[in-house]
Amino acid sequence: MDVNAFLDGFGLVTEPQNLLYCLIGVLIGMLIGVLPGLGPAATIAILLPITYSIDPVSAIIMLAGIYYGAQYGGTITSVLLRLPGEASSVVTVFDGFALAKQGKAGTALGVAAIGSFVGATVSILGLTLVAPLIAGWALSFGDPEYAALALLGVLLVATIGNGNKLKAMIAAAVGLLLATVGRDSFSGAERFTFDSLQLTEGIDFVVVAMGLFGVGEILYNLEERHGKPHVPAAVANIWPSRKDLKQSSGAIGRGSVIGFVLGVLPGGGAVMSSLAAYAAEKRIAKRPERFGRGAIEGVAAPETANNAAATSSFIPLLTLGIPANASMAMLFGALLILGISPGPQLVEERPDLFWGVINSMYIGNLILLALSIPLVGIFVRILRVRPAILAPITALITILGVYTINNSTFDIFVMIVFGLIGYLMKKTGFEPGPMVLAFVLGSIVEDGFRRSMLIFDGDPTGFFTRPISGTILAAFVLVALWPAAKALLARRKTGSDDTSEPHVPAGHR
Amino acid sequence: MTILIGYVPTPEGEAALEAGIAEAATHGDDVVIVNSGRRGATVDADLVDEPAGAELVARASAAGVDARVDRSLHGANVMDTFDALVESTGARLIVIGLRRRSPVGKALLGSDAQRILLDATVPVLAVKPAA
Amino acid sequence: MSDERTPSPDQDILAEIQAEVAQDLEEERPPSGGPSYQVVGALVALVVGVGGALLAYGYGLGTLRRPGAGMWPFVVCIAITLMSVGLLVAGRRLEDSERFSRSSLLPAIGLVTFIGLALLMPVIGFEIPALLLCVVWLRFLGGESWRSTAITSVVTVAVFYFLFLYGLRIPLPHLF
């Protein structure tokens, strides 16, 4: 590891301007984590235009802060209101709210904040050590490897997320198709442009993301779906006792590791890891029946894990240029806007950005630890602001923001179209996340595929004979066929009377 | 007959509750404690939860008054809730607490108390918390 | 997917929790749309797949050695088509859609205000259309009182005016 670059990164982060953007980022993140409605991916999407007007490193630091800040914020509403602000805090609800009902809301929030901080810090340390190694190893990747890796990334995100896998894969494939709109970089032929001049340059990623995530979620939230107003639980005595800390220390440790590992995997991320960490705690507990009735480990583990995962999901983005989830896809897009293509060369070519972003997370998490507990009262107060008042504000930010990118009303209309598509997808059970991610990775997959075919002299088996791309593709096939194989096995065992398909209802977002 | 008490967990709400229960006890009325939340809000600090509501009812029955808590939500105008309740219960009186609000605050936020005082179709008893 | 047939203790707890979470979220959702929603969704995807494949074929597939402009989109479209057919056959019973109801009118109106703003902004600047959008959203979509509508929309537009034109120095089309 290049120690000088690492230290320079710290120097960069501690510049007042970057500290300020880091603070703004984590505050926005906490805020949207607290407020039901917009998630981190949608928020980053809406704020993407700002990257055009501020310094690249500051922009990325801020957007990254939104992502991990949101994980802290989601905890607060889970514990106090039984209302997960973020999908990654859903399991925290079980024990967090039970603790709040016993008058131990403060303890739950305190342990969650400490766990979050520990998890994130462990993960950043891991990131600091591992990321340069992976980047160095990935430098040897050629086109076939990248094509295969990007394809695997798309597939994993599609299959690991909530909801129906087939639908998610269709959405992802449509995303790949959308990426081909515009002039073909190899032959110069125009594809799917329908003779529109504006479409020859392709569809702007920012516009698509703002439409599908931003406008789509805004419209979706407009439909009255809020239940009754909640009565906030009283928060007293935030600092957890030594006994609470001792009881949750094991959970925090295991949560950090689970979160770090699952966060690195594409599609893993914060949601999956919080579930896995909760399950792990329940499994090894001496008295699992305590869970759901106010076990402090049931708060510590998922909250630690989701922050660890939020941090470690930066690894594939910064080292391979493969975003692991929808929020990372937004950051990927932000980097592309800034003229930086994330990948293994990033650490060499833009050490300022690479280490600046990573080191900003040390600072950002310190800020979060310092702020999250004192600000609990303020956040509960902010929750009293009705969503109806915030809705037109987000709508205006989105429209005016997308206009400022190219000073073009055409962009607004494209965004509106994608907003409508995003809304309809949500209504019919298709997740927009895989589509955006596939859209981002589309050109990598296609270009890689076509250049590889030139390398292989038209023989597609070449993908499988190269060790790394072969392994990746084997994993791809395994992941793609696993659900089908499992369903088939299950059916064979039960016989043919099994007409009703077992399925997990799709979660939100 | 029935008395409606506008209740929020503040000194003003307490004062209204006390006055309302006392009024009901002397005239043999029953009481509906109105704890109406704003529709669409995520969190409403004016609301009380189930146990707290049961406690209010217990306080009323300690004074020998039959009470229940009404939690229907209201939109932009809190009078909607009161109108509906006056209609359904045939209440003869509404009891509310008044709080001190600065002229600017009132201009910006409006005043539920004012709406009730002006628009109610039955007599309104407005009380102030003991200073 | 929960694998009910092979009860390994590891998977059970995770699946159980996932089901619990899904159920928790389900309570907040409107009723599902039923098979017709699934069929329409799958058909739209199918049309995209087939239409895209036809167009892509027109762009020229080339050979495997020298893939043409249409090769990759063609491959993707075939995948979309196949998966859509699969969804059409296997996905009719899914319950992950949401029925459109009267309250679905709200997003529709919201969408119209978006289009209105986009059309009017280049002509008369952003202030008046933005104000109108706020009023519609607050008063008619959000059920706010006139008082809170007036205050919120004026303040919002004023803040945007100063933020964009003076704070960020971004030239939005403006009237004043």
Side-chain angles (χ1 to χ4, degrees):
Chain A
M1 194 173 84
D2 186 348
V3 178
N4 272 335
F6 173 73
L7 293 177
D8 285 348
F10 262 118
L12 195 66
V13 176
T14 46
E15 279 173 22
Q17 185 202 353
N18 289 333
L19 275 180
L20 181 69
Y21 279 113
C22 186
L23 179 69
I24 295 175
V26 296
L27 278 181
I28 295 178
M30 277 177 86
L31 196 63
I32 57 117
V34 168
L35 294 170
L38 292 186
T43 310
I44 299 176
I46 289 172
L47 293 178
L48 278 177
I50 212 169
T51 49
Y52 289 96
S53 45
I54 63 175
D55 174 63
V57 179
S58 311
I60 300 298
I61 286 177
M62 186 183 88
L63 295 179
I66 293 177
Y67 179 56
Y68 56 79
Q71 316 301 332
Y72 275 76
T75 320
I76 298 176
T77 47
S78 290
V79 171
L80 293 184
L81 305 172
R82 200 174 184 282
L83 189 79
E86 284 318 315
S88 56
S89 291
V90 171
V91 275
T92 314
V93 163
F94 303 150
D95 285 289
F97 190 67
L99 280 166
K101 274 201 294 196
Q102 297 161 17
K104 289 159 87 179
T107 312
L109 288 175
V111 166
I114 292 168
S116 297
F117 179 74
V118 173
T121 308
V122 167
S123 213
I124 306 168
L125 285 171
L127 176 63
T128 308
L129 297 173
V130 171
L133 295 179
I134 297 182
W137 174 65
L139 275 175
S140 61
F141 282 15
D143 288 311
E145 280 75 27
Y146 269 106
L149 197 61
L151 206 58
L152 180 68
V154 171
L155 183 78
L156 280 170
V157 168
T159 51
I160 293 179
N162 292 330
N164 183 272
K165 315 259 183 284
L166 195 55
K167 281 185 170 179
M169 268 152 75
I170 293 175
V174 174
L176 289 178
L177 185 63
L178 281 175
T180 65
V181 173
R183 185 176 287 122
D184 174 23
S185 53
F186 284 72
S187 62
E190 291 189 0
R191 299 186 292 188
F192 306 109
T193 55
F194 306 104
D195 293 328
S196 154
L197 204 61
Q198 279 102 339
L199 284 178
T200 43
E201 294 305 312
I203 309 173
D204 195 338
F205 161 77
V206 183
V207 180
V208 173
M210 290 180 79
L212 282 176
F213 280 149
V215 179
E217 282 206 31
I218 291 171
L219 293 177
Y220 185 77
N221 289 333
L222 260 186
E223 212 164 320
E224 270 182 39
R225 60 189 71 250
H226 27 250
K228 284 190 192 153
H230 295 249
V231 186
V235 185
N237 134 51
I238 299 263
W239 297 110
S241 65
R242 190 162 298 179
K243 181 171 153 280
D244 292 323
L245 279 181
K246 204 174 156 204
Q247 201 174 353
S248 45
S249 60
I252 290 176
R254 286 182 290 273
S256 303
V257 176
I258 291 173
F260 179 78
V261 173
L262 286 181
V264 178
L265 298 179
V271 183
M272 188 67 196
S273 63
S274 62
L275 282 172
Y278 187 85
E281 284 311 308
K282 196 169 175 180
R283 199 172 298 147
I284 62 164
K286 288 199 191 80
R287 292 191 296 132
E289 68 278 2
R290 276 173 52 246
F291 282 78
R293 303 205 181 115
I296 193 76
E297 302 96 300
V299 174
E303 285 306 316
T304 307
N306 68 23
N307 278 273
T311 306
S312 67
S313 59
F314 280 85
I315 293 180
L317 177 73
L318 293 175
T319 60
L320 302 173
I322 305 287
N325 56 42
S327 299
M328 287 301 120
M330 296 299 109
L331 283 175
F332 184 94
L335 288 165
L336 289 183
I337 294 169
L338 301 168
I340 301 159
S341 58
Q345 75 291 346
L346 187 71
V347 64
E348 291 296 324
E349 285 174 10
R350 291 299 300 270
D352 57 330
L353 189 113
F354 185 86
W355 290 113
V357 172
I358 291 182
N359 292 346
S360 78
M361 292 193 234
Y362 288 104
I363 309 249
N365 275 288
L366 270 176
I367 297 177
L368 281 168
L369 182 68
L371 288 186
S372 63
I373 292 180
L375 289 187
V376 164
I378 293 175
F379 282 120
V380 172
R381 207 166 277 261
I382 287 171
L383 276 169
R384 292 189 204 168
V385 178
R386 287 181 289 282
I389 291 187
L390 299 176
I393 300 176
T394 38
L396 280 181
I397 295 179
T398 317
I399 303 183
L400 299 181
V402 80
Y403 176 82
T404 60
I405 301 173
N406 298 318
N407 290 334
S408 129
T409 18
F410 179 77
D411 282 351
I412 305 186
F413 286 112
V414 175
M415 180 185 78
I416 293 173
V417 169
F418 277 101
L420 182 64
I421 294 174
Y423 167 72
L424 292 175
M425 283 173 74
K426 273 172 134 14
K427 288 293 275 188
T428 50
F430 287 88
E431 288 288 319
M435 190 157 146
V436 174
L437 194 102
F439 179 77
V440 163
L441 292 175
S443 63
I444 299 182
V445 181
E446 181 181 6
D447 294 355
F449 167 73
R450 287 167 79 169
R451 281 201 217 101
S452 314
M453 291 316 274
L454 290 176
I455 299 172
F456 298 149
D457 209 20
D459 178 16
T461 55
F463 280 110
F464 291 92
T465 48
R466 284 166 72 105
I468 297 176
S469 72
T471 314
I472 297 169
L473 279 175
F476 178 90
V477 172
L478 216 66
V479 174
L481 296 182
W482 179 239
K486 220 161 83 168
L488 216 70
L489 273 173
R491 195 158 295 184
R492 187 177 295 173
K493 273 185 194 163
T494 48
S496 54
D497 59 346
D498 187 18
T499 43
S500 65
E501 290 215 348
H503 61 262
V504 180
H508 70 170
R509 219 169 278 147
Chain B
M1 294 290 269
T2 305
I3 293 178
L4 304 182
I5 301 177
Y7 181 79
V8 288
T10 60
E12 291 81 11
E14 289 296 325
L17 184 72
E18 261 168 47
I21 292 176
E23 182 74 15
T26 37
H27 294 93
D29 294 308
D30 51 337
V31 156
V32 177
I33 299 169
V34 187
N35 184 224
S36 173
R38 176 71 161 86
R39 186 176 297 124
T42 319
V43 163
D44 196 328
D46 289 343
L47 288 180
V48 290
D49 54 12
E50 296 284 343
E55 208 171 290
L56 298 179
V57 172
R59 271 168 65 184
S61 30
V65 175
D66 264 351
R68 67 181 173 90
V69 179
D70 181 275
R71 299 170 186 280
S72 47
L73 303 177
H74 63 83
N77 193 344
V78 73
M79 263 320 284
D80 302 345
T81 303
F82 281 95
D83 276 337
L85 280 170
V86 168
E87 186 106 336
S88 63
T89 62
R92 66 172 181 91
L93 180 71
I94 299 175
V95 184
I96 55 170
L98 291 184
R99 63 176 153 176
R100 168 101 187 101
R101 178 166 256 177
S102 72
V104 179
K106 184 159 163 296
L108 288 176
L109 297 170
S111 159
D112 284 345
Q114 188 188 35
R115 285 199 192 99
I116 295 170
L117 286 169
L118 291 176
D119 298 341
T121 51
V122 296
V124 180
L125 172 61
V127 297
K128 291 183 179 179
Chain C
M1 293 258 164
S2 58
D3 194 344
E4 296 151 21
R5 316 299 165 206
T6 48
S8 75
D10 285 6
Q11 232 171 3
D12 266 348
I13 290 176
L14 190 58
E16 210 174 275
I17 291 167
Q18 269 171 333
E20 212 171 318
V21 167
Q23 201 191 345
D24 232 40
L25 294 172
E26 206 66 10
E27 287 169 7
E28 309 256 312
R29 280 167 63 111
S32 80
S36 59
Y37 281 62
Q38 303 295 340
V39 170
V40 170
L43 281 180
V44 170
L46 189 65
V47 168
V48 170
V50 173
L54 288 177
L55 282 171
Y57 189 77
Y59 300 139
L61 297 186
T63 59
L64 273 180
R65 183 163 309 188
R66 290 198 62 83
M71 166 77 92
W72 171 249
F74 185 77
V75 171
V76 172
C77 285
I78 295 298
I80 296 174
T81 309
L82 291 178
M83 288 191 288
S84 308
V85 171
L87 189 64
L88 206 56
V89 175
R92 299 171 78 98
R93 285 168 200 278
L94 288 174
E95 283 167 14
D96 53 5
S97 64
E98 282 181 16
R99 194 177 304 159
F100 287 98
S101 61
R102 270 185 64 86
S103 61
S104 307
L105 270 177
L106 299 179
I109 297 171
L111 201 68
V112 172
T113 61
F114 267 67
I115 296 170
L117 179 60
L119 287 174
L120 287 177
M121 189 164 77
V123 187
I124 57 168
F126 86 96
E127 299 97 327
I128 295 170
L131 195 74
L132 288 177
L133 182 138
C134 284
V135 170
V136 171
W137 282 54
L138 289 164
R139 178 65 199 152
F140 303 109
L141 304 183
E144 289 297 309
S145 64
W146 275 115
R147 187 202 306 258
S148 111
T149 299
I151 295 166
T152 314
S153 43
V154 170
V155 170
T156 306
V157 174
V159 168
F160 273 90
Y161 185 85
F162 286 104
L163 182 71
F164 275 89
L165 295 181
Y166 294 99
L168 300 169
R169 296 190 182 283
I170 295 169
L172 281 175
H174 54 105
L175 191 59
F176 301 107

